[in-house]
Amino acid sequence: MEVLAWAFSTGWASGISGYWVVLILGIAGRLFGVEGVPPGLERTDVLVAAAVLFVVELVADKIPYVDSIWDAAHTVIRPAIGATVAALIAGQSGSLGQIAAATTGGLTALASHGVKAGIRAAVNTSPEPVSNIGVSAAEDVTVAGVVSLSVLHPVAAAVIAGILLVAGVGLVVLLLGRIRRFRDRWRQRRSARAAPTSP
């Protein structure tokens, strides 16, 4: 039960920032000796790669439209990280439990990634960059909080992740109208520019 709960919470967090999840778990295991953290995440090369990619994401995630391009490029990567981390947490290579954990982590990461991408698409309809920075910073802090809690209390972290996922889906549904209106205005402007001018 705790393994699946941990897989769910880290999967949710991976859908937001997979590199950040790997970095937090790796540091927790290597520097603080937290039990249950997969040894593979504590390796120096893994930590360095995760740190570099997280810094790149930290910048890209706060720039309007660049964040959406980054999200699109990570549609496969984030679920893959979620599934891999969950499988490593479950251990016992090839076991049914490991398969269940990997599936849980991957699907949850895909769902939270979709929510993140949808919210960012709505935020990008705002002309100022402050909202992007604020949303990105809130995501980083929330991921750190959920992953840190999951190390000590996996079930509690899974409950919080579940609530955040449901709330995120609801928010995306509410913002769909804004996204559509922005897309329609953009298409109208493009059509107006493409239309031939009268002599």
Side-chain angles (χ1 to χ4, degrees), residues 121-173:
V123 170
N124 281 333
T125 62
S126 175
E128 40 73 36
V130 178
S131 52
N132 293 75
I133 296 172
V135 171
S136 177
E139 289 172 350
D140 294 335
V141 171
T142 305
V143 166
V146 169
V147 175
S148 299
L149 180 63
S150 74
V151 170
L152 303 172
H153 304 287
V155 176
V159 170
I160 292 172
I163 292 171
L164 290 171
L165 182 59
V166 171
V169 170
L171 182 58
V172 169
V173 171

Side-chain angles (χ1 to χ4, degrees), residues 6-192:
W6 202 0
F8 182 88
S9 57
T10 56
W12 173 85
S14 295
I16 308 297
S17 178
Y19 308 125
W20 192 206
V21 172
V22 171
L23 191 58
I24 293 170
L25 289 177
I27 290 173
R30 181 159 178 172
L31 299 184
F32 300 102
V34 174
E35 293 183 8
V37 174
L41 300 182
E42 300 176 24
R43 289 170 36 184
T44 301
D45 57 337
V46 172
L47 289 173
V48 169
V52 170
L53 289 168
F54 173 64
V55 170
V56 174
E57 182 171 72
L58 198 64
V59 175
D61 209 40
K62 292 174 176 59
I63 303 173
Y65 300 107
V66 173
D67 59 349
S68 290
I69 294 171
W70 184 265
D71 285 340
H74 283 73
T75 301
V76 174
I77 296 173
R78 286 173 182 155
I81 292 174
T84 302
V85 168
L88 290 173
I89 288 172
Q92 300 175 1
S93 179
S95 71
L96 185 61
Q98 187 181 39
I99 294 170
T103 302
T104 299
L107 291 177
T108 307
L110 181 61
S112 62
H113 167 76
V115 168
K116 173 188 170 78
I119 291 174
R120 286 313 184 84
V123 170
N124 281 333
T125 62
S126 175
E128 40 73 36
V130 178
S131 52
N132 293 75
I133 296 172
V135 171
S136 177
E139 289 172 350
D140 294 335
V141 171
T142 305
V143 166
V146 169
V147 175
S148 299
L149 180 63
S150 74
V151 170
L152 303 172
H153 304 287
V155 176
V159 170
I160 292 172
I163 292 171
L164 290 171
L165 182 59
V166 171
V169 170
L171 182 58
V172 169
V173 171
L174 289 174
L175 292 172
L176 278 176
R178 180 174 180 173
I179 296 171
R180 287 196 192 103
R181 287 193 296 273
F182 176 80
R183 186 179 59 193
D184 291 342
R185 284 198 303 269
W186 182 78
R187 284 177 177 169
Q188 288 172 359
R189 288 175 188 163
R190 190 174 65 174
S191 298

